[in-house]
Every structure is written in C-alpha cells, then in structure tokens.
Amino acid sequence: MWSEKHVFAGQPEEGVKRVQEAMRLNPYHPNWYFWLLGWAQYNAHDYKGAVETLRKMSPIGVARRVLAGSLAYLGRMEEARAEAEKFLKENSSFSASYWATTQPYLHEKDRQHAVQGYIMAGLPE
C-alpha cells in the first residue's frame, strides 16, 4: 500500500489515494486500513475526513492521538481534549516532542504540523 511512505515523503494526498484504492479493492479490509487513511488525511490537512475515518475504528487504540489532533485543528477543543485524555490513560508516557524524534518525515514542516495538532489537543509537549 505504501501510504505511510507517501505521508513521510510529503505526499499525503497520494497516501490517501493509495489507501482508498486498497479499501475499494478489499471492501472487507481490516480495521487498520482506517488508521492508515485517517493518518494520511490528517497529514493532508483533511481534518474532517480524518475524524470521520478514525471514528469508524474499533478499537481506536493509538489512532486516538490523531483523532485528538484533527479535532483540535478543527477548533473542536472540548472534544479534542477529551480524546487526548483517553489517549493518555493508555499511553501515559507519551510526549509529542519524543514522538517527533521517532518519525521519518522528510520535511520538518510536516513533522511540526503533526506535533502542533497533538499539543493543541492537550497532549504533553
């Protein structure tokens, strides 16, 4: 599918297309396809799409941080903070700055975009 490769290379729209094509080809796809699509949508600044996609996940798991960031970018701060709190209950050692050091973004502006949403949602810097 290679959608993550496109996201990290600064081509999230291509990542979105790749996952959507995979979902079309496999309508009985596993839950993690929603994660890949939501992640690509978040990085493509399609926050509404990311929220809609990630809310289809069950369980949502670590994708909740992307849901929180998407809601924050949409200005839905109460919902964003509630999702951030739920995420931290299961991921108490998370910090956006440490997470950022582990992500292979080609462009620093893309890494900072992802981090900024997490911080706006109330996740620890």
Side-chain angles (χ1 to χ4, degrees):
M1 195 173 321
W2 297 99
S3 63
E4 287 182 305
K5 175 188 85 146
H6 291 288
V7 168
F8 289 127
Q11 305 165 335
E13 295 84 2
E14 183 64 26
V16 168
K17 288 194 308 192
R18 297 283 177 126
V19 180
Q20 288 173 333
E21 176 69 4
M23 293 170 103
R24 185 186 69 74
L25 293 171
N26 180 5
Y28 303 105
H29 57 78
N31 191 48
W32 57 266
Y33 278 38
F34 291 123
W35 161 241
L36 292 176
L37 179 56
W39 171 243
Q41 290 169 315
Y42 176 72
N43 282 275
H45 302 214
D46 177 10
Y47 311 116
K48 184 177 182 222
V51 168
E52 291 171 4
T53 296
L54 295 171
R55 288 213 164 131
K56 294 176 184 174
M57 290 186 72
S58 180
I60 190 168
V62 296
R64 191 176 300 281
R65 78 172 186 279
V66 178
L67 176 58
S70 296
L71 289 163
Y73 272 120
L74 288 170
R76 294 163 56 180
M77 300 312 292
E78 189 173 314
E79 291 174 85
R81 289 198 171 92
E83 294 297 339
E85 284 180 31
K86 291 175 190 174
F87 175 79
L88 288 172
K89 284 182 182 175
E90 296 179 8
N91 303 277
S92 60
S93 64
F94 178 85
S95 82
S97 59
Y98 176 76
W99 174 86
T101 66
T102 68
Q103 303 305 300
Y105 281 98
L106 182 61
H107 307 291
E108 186 60 27
K109 67 178 178 54
D110 296 331
R111 179 188 331 274
Q112 290 308 312
H113 162 263
V115 167
Q116 185 62 35
Y118 299 159
I119 293 169
M120 289 184 338
L123 292 171
E125 191 170 340

